[in-house]
Amino acid sequence: ALEARWRELPFHPEPFAPAGGGSGKTVLAELFTGSECPPCVAADLGFDGLLEAFGPKHLAVLEYHLPIPAPDPLMNPATKARQDDYGVSSTPTPFFDGERLPPGGGPRSRAEDKYKEYRVEIERRAQAAPAVAIAARAVRAAGAVKLSASFDKSVPGADRLAVLVEKEVRYRGSNGIVFHKMVVRALQTLDPSARTAEAAFDLAGLERAATRHLEDYEKER
């Protein structure tokens, strides 16, 4: 019963039902957040609402944990690399299809406001035609996750990344959130011009790298 209360959102997301089934585009929603960040609560719960409202056909969510204002055990080299790519200096900061929205969050009471703000962005973008069609398959075996993917065309000037996420992590940080969704654990850069791609993630190696990353950060502090 207590766990059910922790999971309960302070609002009720309505399922997304695009006219005619939609354009086939999947919107990429990225959030820079942190379990030690009090104003990240509204943004985190807003993204949780998006996951309930939109299926994976219409929405892909990536959440990067950063040590703002204190070390976060869910941080890792991949989250730092993506922070540097985007030039993010504060949390929460959302991006939709690579476009930065104004940063800002708030307490739990503001979660529905953030959810509605984010939903408008996704519904608007979901109407556009997809820039590329992707077919992908991932398999977990022998301590690794292996990905194979194919693309109907290359997109000049675009970055192509394979990202490993953990669907849910249970950890209570100082901001009180217990269940963290779609936590980014690793990323690999792929050739943007190739029509096929493969990637492999060594899970034990990634865990060791994340531990070193956290320890090194704490030493620097």
Side-chain angles (χ1 to χ4, degrees):
L2 182 57
E3 184 170 304
R5 286 191 61 186
W6 289 339
R7 291 182 180 278
E8 191 174 276
L9 292 175
F11 57 92
H12 300 286
E14 291 292 330
F16 176 60
S23 67
K25 174 180 170 64
T26 303
V27 178
L28 174 62
E30 299 173 276
L31 178 66
F32 290 87
T33 183
S35 62
E36 302 299 315
C37 166
C40 290
V41 171
D44 276 28
L45 296 180
F47 263 63
D48 287 356
L50 297 177
L51 287 167
E52 289 193 14
F54 296 85
K57 178 180 178 181
H58 302 294
L59 178 67
V61 169
L62 302 175
E63 298 194 11
Y64 309 93
H65 280 249
L66 299 179
I68 300 174
D72 187 322
L74 304 184
M75 61 193 265
N76 55 60
T79 62
K80 178 64 167 64
R82 198 63 166 158
Q83 176 189 15
D84 293 344
D85 287 343
Y86 276 138
V88 171
S89 59
S90 63
T91 54
T93 300
F95 287 78
F96 292 91
D97 287 338
E99 182 178 342
R100 185 194 303 250
L101 262 65
R108 183 182 178 87
S109 60
R110 288 211 61 213
E112 185 172 11
D113 293 338
K114 302 308 293 184
Y115 162 76
K116 290 178 178 178
E117 175 187 333
Y118 300 152
R119 178 161 183 150
V120 168
E121 283 291 327
I122 295 170
E123 290 183 343
R124 178 175 67 83
R125 295 171 186 276
Q127 305 305 315
V132 59
I134 305 171
R137 181 173 183 265
V139 177
R140 178 177 178 175
V145 174
K146 296 182 179 181
L147 168 75
S148 58
S150 61
F151 312 87
D152 69 336
K153 59 185 175 182
S154 61
V155 181
D159 292 330
R160 184 179 289 173
L161 301 173
V163 185
L164 180 72
V165 302
E166 192 165 356
K167 188 174 181 180
E168 181 179 271
V169 180
R170 179 171 175 160
Y171 168 73
R172 183 189 287 275
S174 66
N175 68 7
I177 290 182
V178 178
F179 298 101
H180 305 271
K181 311 293 180 61
M182 308 307 288
V183 177
V184 172
R185 292 301 197 177
L187 58 83
Q188 292 183 21
T189 301
L190 306 176
D191 182 356
S193 62
R195 297 289 292 273
T196 61
E198 293 185 350
F201 298 95
D202 170 34
L203 300 182
L206 291 173
E207 186 172 359
R208 290 192 296 269
T211 299
R212 287 195 303 270
H213 183 74
L214 177 61
E215 290 174 347
D216 289 346
Y217 181 84
E218 290 177 328
K219 289 176 182 176
E220 292 173 3
R221 288 281 293 252

